[in-house]
Amino acid sequence: MQKITEEEAIKILDPYRARIFECAQKGFESYRKNFSIFQWMYEPRTKAGIIRDHIVANIKGEFVETPGIGSIDVKGRFFLDIEGKVLLQFKKLNKNLMPSNFQTQQQTSIDFQWEVNEQFEFDEIPHELPVLTVGYIPNDLWTDVENWWITYSYAKSVEWHVPLLDIDDTLTNIETIPLEPVETPIGTRAKPKDNKNDEKEVNER
């Protein structure tokens, strides 16, 4: 395993961070525009899967002809190879900034930066490269993200994390799409309580 410091990673990624951010943000906006009306019926893993697929499609299109950049798409795993120095994966993050994953044997190998479960090697993936995560934390309604991060984790802990872009360094060509009101399905709205001391109307979403 080759560990990587925050400073080393930033030096490698700086020429590409704005383009990666744009691909990631547009992936989330695609979900907001095309799928948010159905958010009441989607599990969080489904929402994250849709967003991830849009991000990956954007990344592939953006970097297909960029010298020094390659993509690895094998067995449901996608990595962006930056100059043969680091691998990027794209994930929803939990509140501890850890990637959200189903814990398979393959995923354990990635979580431990290829140190364990070597019998589950992917021949197409260079295991000498550290895996970084480009990720986001959605708000409770999945209408926006708190921030986009680059994280480096090992096992169950985050070694370091930095914003994908500085908070003030926003791209002006990213369109924020307002959400239309979502009609609540029949049968999910609770009736107001008939109580003189409590006149609040309860709406379950």
Side-chain angles (χ1 to χ4, degrees):
M1 181 191 69
Q2 178 184 347
K3 290 191 175 183
I4 189 168
T5 66
E6 176 182 330
E7 292 76 16
E8 291 170 336
I10 290 175
K11 184 177 180 180
I12 295 168
L13 296 176
D14 257 351
Y16 312 103
R17 281 207 284 176
R19 294 165 67 188
I20 293 170
F21 173 83
E22 184 172 3
C23 291
Q25 183 72 358
K26 283 184 175 179
F28 191 88
E29 294 297 340
S30 293
Y31 164 78
R32 282 164 47 95
K33 180 180 179 180
N34 299 303
F35 297 95
S36 61
I37 191 172
F38 304 111
Q39 65 171 330
W40 60 270
M41 63 182 290
Y42 288 150
E43 295 288 340
R45 65 177 181 271
T46 304
K47 299 174 187 178
I50 293 171
I51 293 167
R52 180 261 185 195
D53 288 349
H54 278 274
I55 292 173
V56 167
N58 294 339
I59 288 288
K60 288 179 177 179
E62 174 66 25
F63 289 98
V64 64
E65 296 182 354
T66 301
I69 306 298
S71 63
I72 301 169
D73 199 345
V74 57
K75 297 182 180 179
R77 308 287 178 177
F78 176 84
F79 299 94
L80 191 67
D81 184 333
I82 306 292
E83 300 179 356
K85 297 176 180 177
V86 298
L87 299 176
L88 298 185
Q89 63 176 351
F90 301 86
K91 296 279 186 177
K92 172 188 172 294
L93 304 176
N94 64 26
K95 295 297 183 181
N96 296 320
L97 296 182
M98 284 292 296
S100 299
N101 297 305
F102 288 112
Q103 204 56 47
T104 64
Q105 291 172 317
Q106 295 173 350
Q107 186 58 52
T108 298
S109 182
I110 297 170
D111 289 347
F112 280 84
Q113 299 288 337
W114 314 115
E115 269 193 342
V116 299
N117 293 335
E118 292 184 356
Q119 65 269 33
F120 295 100
E121 288 184 357
F122 304 106
D123 293 335
E124 300 89 342
I125 302 175
H127 289 194
E128 70 276 9
L129 300 186
V131 177
L132 307 180
T133 300
V134 174
Y136 63 96
I137 299 176
N139 64 13
D140 290 341
L141 297 178
W142 289 73
T143 58
D144 205 350
V145 298
E146 296 179 9
N147 204 348
W148 292 89
W149 302 94
I150 301 170
T151 71
Y152 176 68
S153 57
Y154 177 79
K156 296 298 181 183
S157 64
V158 176
E159 300 291 312
W160 54 259
H161 63 276
V162 294
L164 178 54
L165 284 186
D166 293 335
I167 294 176
D168 294 333
D169 186 12
T170 11
L171 297 178
T172 57
N173 60 341
I174 299 293
E175 178 186 2
T176 299
I177 303 168
L179 286 176
E180 297 180 358
V182 178
E183 183 178 351
T184 306
I186 297 174
T188 63
R189 186 180 300 277
K191 294 181 180 180
K193 294 181 181 179
D194 186 12
N195 190 321
K196 294 181 180 180
N197 297 322
D198 187 0
E199 298 180 356
K200 294 181 179 178
E201 181 179 341
V202 179
N203 292 308
E204 294 182 358
R205 295 286 183 183

